[in-house]
Amino acid sequence: MPNPLEEWYLQLPVFTRVYTTGIVLLTLALQMEWVTPFQLFHNYHNTFERGEYWRIFTTFMFLGGFSLDWILNIYFIVRYCRDLEEGSYLNRPADFVWMIILMCSALLALSPYLGVPFLGDLLVSSLTYMWSRHYSYLFINIMGLFTTSAAYLPWILIAFSSLIENRWPTGDLVAIGIGHVFWFLSEEWPQRAESGGIRLLRAPRFLCRVFHQDTGEEIIEEQPQEEHVPRVETFDANLESQVDSETTDPTGVDDSNQDAGAGHDHLPTSLRQRAPYAIPSDNHE
C-alpha cells in the first residue's frame, strides 16, 4: 500500500509531475555539488555555439537552493500547474504542453534583452498569470494579511518581490506580458466573431497523437449520391376525358335533352352518385 506522499505524487498530472521532479532532482544535485550553476544557465554562446543544449531545459528548472523562496515556487508550480492541467486544460494535455513550449521559446528569445540567465522564475510568473485569468472568480488569502481576487495575485507577487529585492521587476513584467498574450490568443480570440472560431495556439497533430488528444477535426465521409431518375408522369386518356366531363357545368346541358325528359341520365356516373340531390329527376309518374 503506497504511503500518502507517494499517492499524492502519483496523482499529479503529467507535466506538473515531470517538471516538479526535474526541479527537485536538479536542486539535490546542486546541494550535493555534482553540478554548479555555471553549467546550467542559458546564453546564446554556450547553448548554441558550443552545443550545450541541455541549458535550454536547466535554465527553467533552476530555482536556486533550498530556501523559502524555493518552497514558494514549488508550491506555485504544483498548485497552479495542476489546476490548469486538471481544470482548464482537462482532456487537452497536448494544448497545455504546446503552450508551455511556446512560452519557454518566447522567454528564451527575450532573455538576451532581459539579462536574466535563469528563466525558471519567469516561467512561474507566466503560469501564475494564466492561472489567475482562468480562476479570476476565486478569492485567495495572502499570508493571512488580506483576501483578494485571484486576478490580482501576479501583481501582488511582483510588488512583494520588488520590495524585498529592491529592484524594478522588468523580467516579471515581461513574463506577465507573455502570459497575457497567450491568454488572449488561446481563450479570448477564438470567442470573437472575427476569429471564425479558429484557435491560433492549437497543438500540432503529432503532439496530439503523442498525448492521445482529439484533434477536434471532424472527419466527414462522403455519402454516395443517389442517382437521379427522372419521373415520368403518365396520363390515362379515359381518366382525363372523364375528369373533363365531370368538371363540365351541369347546368350547361342541352335544353333539348331536358325537354325530352331524358333526366340526368346523360351525366357521368360519378357525378350522378356525388350530387343526386342537386339535379332533380324528370321521371314523374
Side-chain angles (χ1 to χ4, degrees):
M1 182 177 180
N3 57 52
L5 181 60
E6 181 181 358
E7 185 177 0
W8 169 82
Y9 176 77
L10 294 177
Q11 288 178 351
L12 292 176
V14 177
F15 176 80
T16 304
R17 183 167 64 247
V18 172
Y19 189 37
T20 304
T21 303
I23 293 173
V24 173
L25 293 178
L26 186 63
T27 308
L28 287 174
L30 286 169
Q31 293 296 120
M32 300 296 293
E33 297 184 353
W34 294 341
V35 294
T36 64
F38 297 100
Q39 297 173 298
L40 306 177
F41 74 93
H42 162 74
N43 64 14
Y44 182 84
H45 174 73
N46 291 334
T47 303
F48 298 105
E49 293 184 0
R50 298 179 59 179
E52 299 175 356
Y53 298 110
W54 68 81
R55 296 176 183 270
I56 295 176
F57 304 98
T58 55
T59 186
F60 292 104
M61 294 189 293
F62 180 82
L63 297 176
F66 291 112
S67 62
L68 179 60
D69 185 61
W70 185 89
I71 293 174
L72 289 176
N73 280 324
I74 289 294
Y75 170 78
F76 292 151
I77 291 171
V78 173
R79 168 72 187 277
Y80 302 145
C81 280
R82 181 174 186 173
D83 285 348
L84 289 174
E85 280 193 87
E86 296 182 340
S88 303
Y89 287 87
L90 183 65
N91 299 325
R92 292 192 298 152
D95 289 341
F96 182 75
V97 173
W98 182 241
M99 179 193 70
I100 296 295
I101 292 174
L102 294 179
M103 277 186 177
C104 292
S105 301
L107 290 172
L108 287 171
L110 295 174
S111 62
Y113 307 99
L114 299 175
V116 180
F118 297 104
L119 304 175
D121 291 332
L122 302 188
L123 179 60
V124 173
S125 297
S126 296
L127 292 174
T128 303
Y129 180 83
M130 290 289 293
W131 179 88
S132 69
R133 295 305 303 264
H134 281 281
Y135 296 91
S136 58
Y137 56 87
L138 296 179
F139 287 87
I140 56 177
N141 186 275
I142 306 297
M143 295 183 293
L145 299 177
F146 58 91
T147 301
T148 183
S149 172
Y152 301 110
L153 177 62
W155 309 104
I156 294 173
L157 295 178
I158 285 180
F160 275 112
S161 177
S162 300
L163 291 175
I164 294 174
E165 300 180 8
N166 193 23
R167 63 175 178 84
W168 182 254
T170 304
D172 293 324
L173 291 175
V174 171
I176 287 180
I178 292 174
H180 181 73
V181 170
F182 279 90
W183 159 264
F184 176 79
L185 294 179
S186 62
E187 303 298 332
E188 291 289 340
W189 173 252
Q191 298 179 5
R192 298 197 175 190
E194 56 268 25
S195 69
I198 299 176
R199 288 184 173 272
L200 299 177
L201 300 182
R202 184 184 297 276
R205 293 183 180 179
F206 78 91
L207 203 60
C208 293
R209 288 194 294 267
V210 170
F211 288 94
H212 306 287
Q213 174 183 316
D214 185 12
T215 58
E217 298 178 357
E218 298 181 358
I219 300 177
I220 302 176
E221 297 181 358
E222 294 185 358
Q223 300 292 338
Q225 297 182 355
E226 296 182 359
E227 184 179 357
H228 178 69
V229 179
R231 188 178 63 179
V232 180
E233 297 183 357
T234 59
F235 299 93
D236 189 349
N238 297 329
L239 179 61
E240 185 178 2
S241 61
Q242 182 180 357
V243 172
D244 292 337
S245 62
E246 289 180 359
T247 55
T248 304
D249 188 359
T251 60
V253 181
D254 189 81
D255 293 339
S256 61
N257 292 336
Q258 292 182 355
D259 295 337
H264 54 271
D265 293 339
H266 64 281
L267 295 175
T269 304
S270 58
L271 188 58
R272 292 202 307 269
Q273 293 175 351
R274 283 183 305 195
Y277 55 87
I279 303 176
S281 174
D282 294 330
N283 297 328
H284 300 282
E285 292 182 357

